[in-house]
Amino acid sequence: MVVAGNLCFSCWTNISPIYPAMSKTKATSRLLVNYPEPYRSEILDYLFKPNFGASLHILKVEIGGDGQTTDGTEPSHMHYALDENYFRGYEWWLMKEAKKRNPNITLIGLPWSFPGWLGKGFNWPYVNLQLTAYYIVTWIVGSKHYHDLDIDYIGIWNERAFDINYIKVLRRMLNHQGLQHVKIIASDNLWEPISASMLLDPELLKVIDVIGAHYPGTLTVKDARLTKKKLWSSEDFSTVNGDMGAGCWGRILNQNYVNGYMTSTIAWNLVASYYQQLPYGRCGLMTAQEPWSGHYVVEAPIWVSAHTTQFTQPGWYYLKTVGHLERGGSYVALTDGLGNLTVIVETMSYKHSKCIRPLLPYFNVSHQFATFDLKGSFSQIQELQVWYTKLGKPSERFLFKQLDSLWLLDSGGSFTLELQEDELFTLTTLTSGRKGSFPPPPKSQRFPSVYEDNFNIDYPFFSEAPNFADQTGVFEYYVNMEDPGDHRFTLRQVLNQRPITWAADAFNTISVIGDYSWSNLTIKCDVYIETPEKGGVFIAGRVNKGGILIRSARGIFFWIFANGTYRVTGDLAGWIIYSLGHADVTAKKWYTLTLTLNGRFSSGKLNGKTLWKNISVNFPENGWAAIGTHSFEFAQFDNFRVEASH
């Protein structure tokens, strides 16, 4: 047992106001929009409502670019050069919901992929710098014009190359549009080469407001500090949201500043609201992946966030006295400059705080006593509120529990904490902290075994049909003016050009749906090929991969083509061919496809007549249902129905 010296709090550094904790979404809130009320609003309250749950200070969203960005695609506001639509996807809705709860929340936009037309035939967004800058500026202007949302920061290209001239062009175009208040963050990758580039280029140094690095392991580099710019961990965490994820989050929220002077840390992702078997399942601050049941889980990282976010605000300052405890762990202290003080102490152990990346060097944490001395104006503080979290064994586990206040009347501003491993303490003058709660949500249920959607919605609130998760391409509600009959309202794949990709998008478009454990099932869907001769569409079952792995997805895929053929394949790419032959199919005509999978056998029907049957399929044994197209081509789907047993 050791007393960790005089940790003296008297003066603060004014190097940078803080944005301590925030969160980021990219195709990871797909299922959230489908939640029924009141559960959807409850989830949003846990994330954004001040002094209730995570009370996030910043929301960083993907600027949809039509490409795969880890767990799905998000639609662009400009699929084509002359196309503008500011009501696609769910990011504007999410920003408005965040603002509704916290009008002061800061908003950031960042592109992952870009629509293909910006590349002029190249998989590169910097072919025409003015055009790409114009595209980004339209998103910012549209956010304000159509949704009254003020975007505060804009990024360059997530985890990909930056172009120095593009950054300068973007700044000039923002200024020309009267958007001087929109700040630039770069480069959402590593500390280098952006930091060195800024030191070598005075104009670049001037136009970048924040250096953002991803998964920095709590460390910065000398060049970044020499720029004198704000340093942020602009993507971090991405760890499964059990106690290990909570420990990771608690450790880096403190140590990103203690070790690396980072005044903001962004969690990817905001809420695990995507199918769990997609990459990085459950790597959100909380889990909400069952809109069909209304079930959600307020995970431990929500309450770890609250230790910082409920007791600090953007514009507060870190005190100069921050550091490591003698027997492991760290402490930070912050003030608003008006007499309020918040101290956050964490003792997360090596074993219980490993983030998914980078590799964590070994360290030791053990039982200790830490004494804190409040000096200067802080010595007048008479009472500190105490909030406590203990991770680990269920019998010893506490999440964001308010303890008795610390009274400092007779102590001369000194107090001692007894610290065990895997603990979090917040000591604060603020009395506004609260552990918000709602009645328990409904119990968890599997995806309905019988599911159908006829897409008959006249004025859809969202552009995408519920529960479909686009993995390459974009599938949107469509009003088919040419068909006033049974197929007036359909779901349409709307991309006719491959986007400028961020990940390994497939060469076919695909949207998955349902329960990954589905094995025996019948999928039925009306399909309409729009491209003569070369067009093709499919329905599929037992699809076993998605997200950044979509290109290698296996399953049972039933294709028909406008050239009058059909094909059955064991993979999306079409390399494993089970059957092929003639089918009475052409473009511009509706057909009904039926795919039945039962044990090791599969069969398919075209317009109710058997086209192929008893084809043996041994792998995969289970997976999602799916629809899609042969290439980036227009095609329509209607009257989707699945009947499944696990």
Side-chain angles (χ1 to χ4, degrees), residues 440-463:
K443 286 188 166 54
S444 175
Q445 291 179 23
R446 287 191 176 278
F447 194 98
S449 56
V450 177
Y451 183 85
E452 53 191 356
D453 194 338
N454 60 16
F455 313 116
N456 287 1
I457 299 184
D458 214 338
Y459 299 102
F461 195 74
F462 293 102
S463 59

PDB file of all heavy atoms in Angstrom, residues 440-463:
ATOM      1  N   PRO A 440     -37.445  -1.699 -17.871  1.00  0.00           N
ATOM      2  CA  PRO A 440     -36.719  -2.633 -18.745  1.00  0.00           C
ATOM      3  C   PRO A 440     -37.384  -2.735 -20.119  1.00  0.00           C
ATOM      4  O   PRO A 440     -38.612  -2.772 -20.215  1.00  0.00           O
ATOM      5  CB  PRO A 440     -36.801  -3.968 -18.002  1.00  0.00           C
ATOM      6  CG  PRO A 440     -37.059  -3.603 -16.582  1.00  0.00           C
ATOM      7  CD  PRO A 440     -37.857  -2.332 -16.605  1.00  0.00           C
ATOM      8  N   PRO A 441     -36.587  -2.780 -21.189  1.00  0.00           N
ATOM      9  CA  PRO A 441     -37.163  -2.941 -22.533  1.00  0.00           C
ATOM     10  C   PRO A 441     -37.687  -4.366 -22.706  1.00  0.00           C
ATOM     11  O   PRO A 441     -37.460  -5.232 -21.855  1.00  0.00           O
ATOM     12  CB  PRO A 441     -35.967  -2.673 -23.446  1.00  0.00           C
ATOM     13  CG  PRO A 441     -34.772  -3.033 -22.628  1.00  0.00           C
ATOM     14  CD  PRO A 441     -35.121  -2.699 -21.207  1.00  0.00           C
ATOM     15  N   PRO A 442     -38.398  -4.643 -23.791  1.00  0.00           N
ATOM     16  CA  PRO A 442     -38.895  -6.005 -24.029  1.00  0.00           C
ATOM     17  C   PRO A 442     -37.754  -7.023 -24.075  1.00  0.00           C
ATOM     18  O   PRO A 442     -36.603  -6.679 -24.349  1.00  0.00           O
ATOM     19  CB  PRO A 442     -39.582  -5.900 -25.389  1.00  0.00           C
ATOM     20  CG  PRO A 442     -39.909  -4.448 -25.548  1.00  0.00           C
ATOM     21  CD  PRO A 442     -38.824  -3.707 -24.845  1.00  0.00           C
ATOM     22  N   LYS A 443     -38.094  -8.267 -23.825  1.00  0.00           N
ATOM     23  CA  LYS A 443     -37.094  -9.336 -23.853  1.00  0.00           C
ATOM     24  C   LYS A 443     -36.600  -9.564 -25.283  1.00  0.00           C
ATOM     25  O   LYS A 443     -37.301  -9.308 -26.253  1.00  0.00           O
ATOM     26  CB  LYS A 443     -37.702 -10.629 -23.299  1.00  0.00           C
ATOM     27  CG  LYS A 443     -37.874 -10.619 -21.779  1.00  0.00           C
ATOM     28  CD  LYS A 443     -38.303 -11.991 -21.273  1.00  0.00           C
ATOM     29  CE  LYS A 443     -38.155 -12.095 -19.758  1.00  0.00           C
ATOM     30  NZ  LYS A 443     -38.850 -11.031 -19.030  1.00  0.00           N
ATOM     31  N   SER A 444     -35.387 -10.077 -25.365  1.00  0.00           N
ATOM     32  CA  SER A 444     -34.769 -10.378 -26.658  1.00  0.00           C
ATOM     33  C   SER A 444     -35.568 -11.447 -27.400  1.00  0.00           C
ATOM     34  O   SER A 444     -36.048 -12.406 -26.801  1.00  0.00           O
ATOM     35  CB  SER A 444     -33.340 -10.863 -26.432  1.00  0.00           C
ATOM     36  OG  SER A 444     -32.758 -11.277 -27.641  1.00  0.00           O
ATOM     37  N   GLN A 445     -35.710 -11.241 -28.710  1.00  0.00           N
ATOM     38  CA  GLN A 445     -36.376 -12.229 -29.563  1.00  0.00           C
ATOM     39  C   GLN A 445     -35.603 -12.370 -30.868  1.00  0.00           C
ATOM     40  O   GLN A 445     -34.954 -11.437 -31.317  1.00  0.00           O
ATOM     41  CB  GLN A 445     -37.807 -11.788 -29.901  1.00  0.00           C
ATOM     42  CG  GLN A 445     -38.778 -11.790 -28.749  1.00  0.00           C
ATOM     43  CD  GLN A 445     -40.161 -11.306 -29.179  1.00  0.00           C
ATOM     44  OE1 GLN A 445     -40.512 -11.376 -30.352  1.00  0.00           O
ATOM     45  NE2 GLN A 445     -40.930 -10.804 -28.232  1.00  0.00           N
ATOM     46  N   ARG A 446     -35.738 -13.541 -31.464  1.00  0.00           N
ATOM     47  CA  ARG A 446     -35.129 -13.735 -32.779  1.00  0.00           C
ATOM     48  C   ARG A 446     -35.887 -12.934 -33.838  1.00  0.00           C
ATOM     49  O   ARG A 446     -37.049 -12.583 -33.652  1.00  0.00           O
ATOM     50  CB  ARG A 446     -35.158 -15.217 -33.164  1.00  0.00           C
ATOM     51  CG  ARG A 446     -34.167 -16.070 -32.388  1.00  0.00           C
ATOM     52  CD  ARG A 446     -34.078 -17.442 -33.022  1.00  0.00           C
ATOM     53  NE  ARG A 446     -33.075 -18.282 -32.393  1.00  0.00           N
ATOM     54  CZ  ARG A 446     -31.771 -18.237 -32.660  1.00  0.00           C
ATOM     55  NH1 ARG A 446     -31.307 -17.354 -33.536  1.00  0.00           N
ATOM     56  NH2 ARG A 446     -30.927 -19.044 -32.067  1.00  0.00           N
ATOM     57  N   PHE A 447     -35.219 -12.680 -34.949  1.00  0.00           N
ATOM     58  CA  PHE A 447     -35.870 -12.079 -36.113  1.00  0.00           C
ATOM     59  C   PHE A 447     -37.084 -12.943 -36.477  1.00  0.00           C
ATOM     60  O   PHE A 447     -37.010 -14.170 -36.428  1.00  0.00           O
ATOM     61  CB  PHE A 447     -34.877 -12.032 -37.271  1.00  0.00           C
ATOM     62  CG  PHE A 447     -35.296 -11.149 -38.414  1.00  0.00           C
ATOM     63  CD1 PHE A 447     -34.817  -9.861 -38.522  1.00  0.00           C
ATOM     64  CD2 PHE A 447     -36.176 -11.618 -39.396  1.00  0.00           C
ATOM     65  CE1 PHE A 447     -35.196  -9.048 -39.593  1.00  0.00           C
ATOM     66  CE2 PHE A 447     -36.562 -10.816 -40.458  1.00  0.00           C
ATOM     67  CZ  PHE A 447     -36.065  -9.516 -40.550  1.00  0.00           C
ATOM     68  N   PRO A 448     -38.220 -12.342 -36.853  1.00  0.00           N
ATOM     69  CA  PRO A 448     -39.416 -13.149 -37.164  1.00  0.00           C
ATOM     70  C   PRO A 448     -39.118 -14.214 -38.214  1.00  0.00           C
ATOM     71  O   PRO A 448     -38.469 -13.938 -39.225  1.00  0.00           O
ATOM     72  CB  PRO A 448     -40.419 -12.114 -37.697  1.00  0.00           C
ATOM     73  CG  PRO A 448     -39.958 -10.817 -37.137  1.00  0.00           C
ATOM     74  CD  PRO A 448     -38.469 -10.901 -37.007  1.00  0.00           C
ATOM     75  N   SER A 449     -39.599 -15.417 -37.974  1.00  0.00           N
ATOM     76  CA  SER A 449     -39.317 -16.514 -38.910  1.00  0.00           C
ATOM     77  C   SER A 449     -40.157 -16.391 -40.187  1.00  0.00           C
ATOM     78  O   SER A 449     -39.832 -16.985 -41.209  1.00  0.00           O
ATOM     79  CB  SER A 449     -39.560 -17.866 -38.246  1.00  0.00           C
ATOM     80  OG  SER A 449     -40.873 -17.933 -37.751  1.00  0.00           O
ATOM     81  N   VAL A 450     -41.249 -15.645 -40.112  1.00  0.00           N
ATOM     82  CA  VAL A 450     -42.007 -15.300 -41.321  1.00  0.00           C
ATOM     83  C   VAL A 450     -41.967 -13.781 -41.444  1.00  0.00           C
ATOM     84  O   VAL A 450     -42.413 -13.063 -40.550  1.00  0.00           O
ATOM     85  CB  VAL A 450     -43.468 -15.789 -41.239  1.00  0.00           C
ATOM     86  CG1 VAL A 450     -44.234 -15.338 -42.482  1.00  0.00           C
ATOM     87  CG2 VAL A 450     -43.515 -17.299 -41.082  1.00  0.00           C
ATOM     88  N   TYR A 451     -41.403 -13.291 -42.544  1.00  0.00           N
ATOM     89  CA  TYR A 451     -41.217 -11.852 -42.708  1.00  0.00           C
ATOM     90  C   TYR A 451     -41.544 -11.475 -44.139  1.00  0.00           C
ATOM     91  O   TYR A 451     -41.117 -12.143 -45.086  1.00  0.00           O
ATOM     92  CB  TYR A 451     -39.770 -11.464 -42.391  1.00  0.00           C
ATOM     93  CG  TYR A 451     -39.505  -9.969 -42.471  1.00  0.00           C
ATOM     94  CD1 TYR A 451     -39.762  -9.142 -41.388  1.00  0.00           C
ATOM     95  CD2 TYR A 451     -39.003  -9.391 -43.638  1.00  0.00           C
ATOM     96  CE1 TYR A 451     -39.531  -7.777 -41.448  1.00  0.00           C
ATOM     97  CE2 TYR A 451     -38.765  -8.026 -43.718  1.00  0.00           C
ATOM     98  CZ  TYR A 451     -39.032  -7.227 -42.619  1.00  0.00           C
ATOM     99  OH  TYR A 451     -38.811  -5.870 -42.689  1.00  0.00           O
ATOM    100  N   GLU A 452     -42.320 -10.401 -44.302  1.00  0.00           N
ATOM    101  CA  GLU A 452     -42.609  -9.942 -45.662  1.00  0.00           C
ATOM    102  C   GLU A 452     -42.669  -8.426 -45.716  1.00  0.00           C
ATOM    103  O   GLU A 452     -42.955  -7.764 -44.710  1.00  0.00           O
ATOM    104  CB  GLU A 452     -43.902 -10.567 -46.194  1.00  0.00           C
ATOM    105  CG  GLU A 452     -45.112 -10.399 -45.327  1.00  0.00           C
ATOM    106  CD  GLU A 452     -46.280 -11.276 -45.808  1.00  0.00           C
ATOM    107  OE1 GLU A 452     -46.142 -11.945 -46.850  1.00  0.00           O
ATOM    108  OE2 GLU A 452     -47.317 -11.276 -45.134  1.00  0.00           O
ATOM    109  N   ASP A 453     -42.379  -7.905 -46.891  1.00  0.00           N
ATOM    110  CA  ASP A 453     -42.419  -6.461 -47.112  1.00  0.00           C
ATOM    111  C   ASP A 453     -42.819  -6.227 -48.562  1.00  0.00           C
ATOM    112  O   ASP A 453     -42.164  -6.718 -49.488  1.00  0.00           O
ATOM    113  CB  ASP A 453     -41.044  -5.837 -46.829  1.00  0.00           C
ATOM    114  CG  ASP A 453     -41.103  -4.317 -46.710  1.00  0.00           C
ATOM    115  OD1 ASP A 453     -42.063  -3.705 -47.236  1.00  0.00           O
ATOM    116  OD2 ASP A 453     -40.195  -3.735 -46.090  1.00  0.00           O
ATOM    117  N   ASN A 454     -43.923  -5.484 -48.763  1.00  0.00           N
ATOM    118  CA  ASN A 454     -44.348  -5.176 -50.135  1.00  0.00           C
ATOM    119  C   ASN A 454     -43.918  -3.778 -50.571  1.00  0.00           C
ATOM    120  O   ASN A 454     -44.216  -3.350 -51.683  1.00  0.00           O
ATOM    121  CB  ASN A 454     -45.863  -5.349 -50.296  1.00  0.00           C
ATOM    122  CG  ASN A 454     -46.653  -4.437 -49.359  1.00  0.00           C
ATOM    123  OD1 ASN A 454     -46.114  -3.469 -48.806  1.00  0.00           O
ATOM    124  ND2 ASN A 454     -47.934  -4.732 -49.180  1.00  0.00           N
ATOM    125  N   PHE A 455     -43.225  -3.063 -49.671  1.00  0.00           N
ATOM    126  CA  PHE A 455     -42.642  -1.746 -49.971  1.00  0.00           C
ATOM    127  C   PHE A 455     -43.688  -0.705 -50.377  1.00  0.00           C
ATOM    128  O   PHE A 455     -43.359   0.305 -51.005  1.00  0.00           O
ATOM    129  CB  PHE A 455     -41.556  -1.852 -51.046  1.00  0.00           C
ATOM    130  CG  PHE A 455     -40.572  -2.964 -50.789  1.00  0.00           C
ATOM    131  CD1 PHE A 455     -40.453  -4.043 -51.661  1.00  0.00           C
ATOM    132  CD2 PHE A 455     -39.784  -2.954 -49.661  1.00  0.00           C
ATOM    133  CE1 PHE A 455     -39.557  -5.081 -51.413  1.00  0.00           C
ATOM    134  CE2 PHE A 455     -38.878  -3.984 -49.399  1.00  0.00           C
ATOM    135  CZ  PHE A 455     -38.769  -5.042 -50.279  1.00  0.00           C
ATOM    136  N   ASN A 456     -44.934  -0.935 -50.009  1.00  0.00           N
ATOM    137  CA  ASN A 456     -46.014  -0.021 -50.402  1.00  0.00           C
ATOM    138  C   ASN A 456     -46.107   1.156 -49.436  1.00  0.00           C
ATOM    139  O   ASN A 456     -46.986   1.215 -48.585  1.00  0.00           O
ATOM    140  CB  ASN A 456     -47.363  -0.757 -50.435  1.00  0.00           C
ATOM    141  CG  ASN A 456     -47.458  -1.694 -51.628  1.00  0.00           C
ATOM    142  OD1 ASN A 456     -46.524  -1.801 -52.404  1.00  0.00           O
ATOM    143  ND2 ASN A 456     -48.570  -2.373 -51.754  1.00  0.00           N
ATOM    144  N   ILE A 457     -45.184   2.070 -49.576  1.00  0.00           N
ATOM    145  CA  ILE A 457     -45.185   3.260 -48.730  1.00  0.00           C
ATOM    146  C   ILE A 457     -45.140   4.486 -49.639  1.00  0.00           C
ATOM    147  O   ILE A 457     -44.210   4.657 -50.425  1.00  0.00           O
ATOM    148  CB  ILE A 457     -43.987   3.264 -47.757  1.00  0.00           C
ATOM    149  CG1 ILE A 457     -44.064   2.048 -46.837  1.00  0.00           C
ATOM    150  CG2 ILE A 457     -43.959   4.547 -46.951  1.00  0.00           C
ATOM    151  CD1 ILE A 457     -43.003   1.992 -45.777  1.00  0.00           C
ATOM    152  N   ASP A 458     -46.165   5.314 -49.505  1.00  0.00           N
ATOM    153  CA  ASP A 458     -46.297   6.477 -50.390  1.00  0.00           C
ATOM    154  C   ASP A 458     -45.237   7.530 -50.093  1.00  0.00           C
ATOM    155  O   ASP A 458     -44.553   8.024 -50.984  1.00  0.00           O
ATOM    156  CB  ASP A 458     -47.703   7.076 -50.219  1.00  0.00           C
ATOM    157  CG  ASP A 458     -48.220   7.636 -51.539  1.00  0.00           C
ATOM    158  OD1 ASP A 458     -47.392   7.934 -52.400  1.00  0.00           O
ATOM    159  OD2 ASP A 458     -49.453   7.750 -51.694  1.00  0.00           O
ATOM    160  N   TYR A 459     -45.098   7.891 -48.807  1.00  0.00           N
ATOM    161  CA  TYR A 459     -44.124   8.908 -48.400  1.00  0.00           C
ATOM    162  C   TYR A 459     -43.265   8.357 -47.269  1.00  0.00           C
ATOM    163  O   TYR A 459     -43.498   8.647 -46.097  1.00  0.00           O
ATOM    164  CB  TYR A 459     -44.843  10.182 -47.955  1.00  0.00           C
ATOM    165  CG  TYR A 459     -45.673  10.813 -49.051  1.00  0.00           C
ATOM    166  CD1 TYR A 459     -47.053  10.657 -49.074  1.00  0.00           C
ATOM    167  CD2 TYR A 459     -45.061  11.547 -50.068  1.00  0.00           C
ATOM    168  CE1 TYR A 459     -47.825  11.217 -50.091  1.00  0.00           C
ATOM    169  CE2 TYR A 459     -45.817  12.113 -51.090  1.00  0.00           C
ATOM    170  CZ  TYR A 459     -47.196  11.947 -51.090  1.00  0.00           C
ATOM    171  OH  TYR A 459     -47.942  12.501 -52.107  1.00  0.00           O
ATOM    172  N   PRO A 460     -42.266   7.551 -47.603  1.00  0.00           N
ATOM    173  CA  PRO A 460     -41.457   6.921 -46.550  1.00  0.00           C
ATOM    174  C   PRO A 460     -40.654   7.948 -45.758  1.00  0.00           C
ATOM    175  O   PRO A 460     -40.135   8.912 -46.327  1.00  0.00           O
ATOM    176  CB  PRO A 460     -40.539   5.975 -47.318  1.00  0.00           C
ATOM    177  CG  PRO A 460     -40.505   6.495 -48.713  1.00  0.00           C
ATOM    178  CD  PRO A 460     -41.818   7.171 -48.950  1.00  0.00           C
ATOM    179  N   PHE A 461     -40.569   7.716 -44.445  1.00  0.00           N
ATOM    180  CA  PHE A 461     -39.798   8.622 -43.585  1.00  0.00           C
ATOM    181  C   PHE A 461     -38.301   8.433 -43.807  1.00  0.00           C
ATOM    182  O   PHE A 461     -37.517   9.362 -43.706  1.00  0.00           O
ATOM    183  CB  PHE A 461     -40.163   8.372 -42.121  1.00  0.00           C
ATOM    184  CG  PHE A 461     -39.710   9.465 -41.195  1.00  0.00           C
ATOM    185  CD1 PHE A 461     -40.360  10.687 -41.174  1.00  0.00           C
ATOM    186  CD2 PHE A 461     -38.620   9.282 -40.359  1.00  0.00           C
ATOM    187  CE1 PHE A 461     -39.938  11.713 -40.339  1.00  0.00           C
ATOM    188  CE2 PHE A 461     -38.189  10.296 -39.521  1.00  0.00           C
ATOM    189  CZ  PHE A 461     -38.855  11.513 -39.504  1.00  0.00           C
ATOM    190  N   PHE A 462     -37.900   7.179 -44.121  1.00  0.00           N
ATOM    191  CA  PHE A 462     -36.509   6.878 -44.444  1.00  0.00           C
ATOM    192  C   PHE A 462     -36.453   6.312 -45.856  1.00  0.00           C
ATOM    193  O   PHE A 462     -37.406   5.689 -46.320  1.00  0.00           O
ATOM    194  CB  PHE A 462     -35.918   5.880 -43.444  1.00  0.00           C
ATOM    195  CG  PHE A 462     -35.778   6.445 -42.060  1.00  0.00           C
ATOM    196  CD1 PHE A 462     -36.687   6.118 -41.071  1.00  0.00           C
ATOM    197  CD2 PHE A 462     -34.758   7.322 -41.755  1.00  0.00           C
ATOM    198  CE1 PHE A 462     -36.586   6.653 -39.798  1.00  0.00           C
ATOM    199  CE2 PHE A 462     -34.640   7.866 -40.489  1.00  0.00           C
ATOM    200  CZ  PHE A 462     -35.557   7.534 -39.507  1.00  0.00           C
ATOM    201  N   SER A 463     -35.332   6.505 -46.524  1.00  0.00           N
ATOM    202  CA  SER A 463     -35.218   6.094 -47.925  1.00  0.00           C
ATOM    203  C   SER A 463     -35.037   4.590 -48.077  1.00  0.00           C
ATOM    204  O   SER A 463     -35.231   4.047 -49.158  1.00  0.00           O
ATOM    205  CB  SER A 463     -34.044   6.825 -48.587  1.00  0.00           C
ATOM    206  OG  SER A 463     -32.827   6.538 -47.913  1.00  0.00           O
TER     207      SER A 463
END
